[in-house]
């Protein structure tokens, strides 16, 4: 992949040794983004385990993890680890499968690909990944050899983000509402109001 040589030149891989991973030290996935996928696909369950994340976060908005370029993870005992973004993660068919059985999760086998390609068409065509046209879900991060221990419940502070970066433009161009829960509530409320007014007549 072109990203390998590009990353070596621009320093993204500096001191980011890997263990038990084939590209980068950590893969961060966002529960809010998975919830957005479930709403887009009208499915009740989609296991995060299928995404093979090493760190799972739950932010206020879906997809905002793609805009983080540097984060600080802080534990209750005040230990801190700084991480820097390496690259968004293009997915193969594995996130479309049950991680235990290997069977596809849905009748529409590549549901994740279908949904994300429709919502974010340009994200499946990143020149840094060359001919690999997998849809993005999750972001690779590195710690540049910093020592530290992560715990469940640690807090994340975004030190730098890509406010005007290409990823945020993907979010703005999405074909679904950035806060789908509110959209559904508004639709339900509108339908109920319509039915009540009709009954009143």
């Amino acid at each position: 992949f072109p990203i390998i040589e590009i990353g070596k030149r621009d320093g993204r891989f500096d001191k980011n040794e890997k263990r038990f991973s084939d590209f980068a030290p950590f893969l961060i996935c966002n529960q809010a983004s998975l919830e957005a996928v479930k709403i887009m696909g009208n499915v009740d369950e989609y296991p995060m385990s299928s995404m093979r994340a090493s760190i799972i976060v739950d932010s206020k908005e879906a997809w905002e993890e793609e805009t983080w370029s540097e984060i600080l993870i802080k534990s209750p005992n005040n230990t801190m680890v700084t991480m820097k973004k390496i690259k968004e993660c293009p997915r193969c068919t594995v996130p479309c499968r049950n991680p235990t059985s290997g069977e596809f999760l849905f009748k529409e086998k590549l549901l994740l690909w279908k949904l994300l390609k429709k919502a974010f068409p340009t994200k499946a065509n990143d020149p840094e990944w060359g001919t690999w046209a997998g849809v993005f879900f999750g972001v690779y991060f590195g710690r540049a050899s910093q020592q530290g221990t992560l715990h469940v419940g640690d807090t994340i502070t975004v030190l730098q983000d890509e406010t005007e970066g290409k990823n945020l433009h993907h979010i703005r161009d999405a074909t679904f509402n950035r806060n789908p829960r509110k959209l559904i509530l508004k639709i339900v409320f509108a339908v109920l109001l319509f039915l009540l007014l009709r009954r009143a007549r």
Side-chain angles (χ1 to χ4, degrees):
F1 302 120
I3 178 60
I4 302 295
E5 291 305 317
I6 295 170
K8 288 177 181 177
R9 292 197 299 269
D10 63 23
R12 273 181 275 181
F13 291 108
D14 288 355
K15 299 181 180 179
N16 278 318
E17 298 85 2
K18 305 183 297 294
R19 291 182 181 179
F20 311 113
S21 57
D22 57 1
F23 181 76
F26 300 101
L27 174 61
I28 293 180
C29 291
N30 188 354
Q31 187 65 43
S33 299
L34 187 59
E35 292 300 317
V37 170
K38 288 162 60 177
I39 291 170
M40 291 161 60
N42 193 28
V43 296
D44 295 327
E45 297 294 333
Y46 203 135
M48 177 61 85
S49 54
S50 293
M51 301 300 172
R52 298 174 297 162
S54 46
I55 299 174
I56 300 171
V57 301
D58 194 359
S59 69
K60 291 182 179 179
E61 294 196 43
W63 318 117
E64 65 177 309
E65 68 278 9
E66 294 183 4
T67 70
W68 301 342
S69 54
E70 186 175 4
I71 60 175
L72 176 69
I73 302 180
K74 184 176 181 181
S75 297
N77 61 4
N78 288 324
T79 59
M80 294 178 283
V81 177
T82 301
M83 293 189 181
K84 290 187 177 182
K85 176 180 177 178
I86 296 177
K87 189 65 182 173
E88 298 88 344
C89 177
R91 310 316 299 246
C92 59
T93 64
V94 171
C96 303
R97 297 175 180 270
N98 182 300
T100 303
S101 68
E103 299 293 326
F104 282 103
L105 290 166
F106 308 106
K107 187 176 181 180
E108 180 86 44
K109 292 183 178 180
L110 300 181
L111 181 66
L112 180 72
W113 279 40
K114 178 181 178 181
L115 295 173
L116 294 186
K117 277 193 173 184
K118 182 178 180 180
F120 307 109
T122 55
K123 282 169 55 173
N125 186 28
D126 189 315
E128 288 193 338
W129 282 111
T131 56
W132 179 248
V135 295
F136 291 163
F137 192 95
V139 184
Y140 288 119
F141 275 80
R143 58 182 175 84
S145 293
Q146 272 194 0
Q147 298 298 314
T149 304
L150 305 183
H151 307 83
V152 174
D154 286 356
T155 59
I156 291 180
T157 300
V158 179
L159 301 178
Q160 294 182 26
D161 62 26
E162 302 172 350
T163 305
E164 295 303 323
K166 61 180 181 180
N167 299 307
L168 193 58
H169 291 302
H170 288 317
I171 296 173
R172 288 173 180 162
D173 293 341
T175 56
F176 65 95
N177 189 285
R178 288 184 66 191
N179 199 333
R181 291 191 188 98
K182 286 186 178 179
L183 177 62
I184 288 177
L185 288 173
K186 287 179 181 178
I187 293 172
V188 171
F189 179 78
V191 170
L192 289 174
L193 184 61
F194 172 78
L195 292 173
L196 288 171
L197 290 172
R198 188 174 180 183
R199 213 174 204 186
R201 290 179 182 177

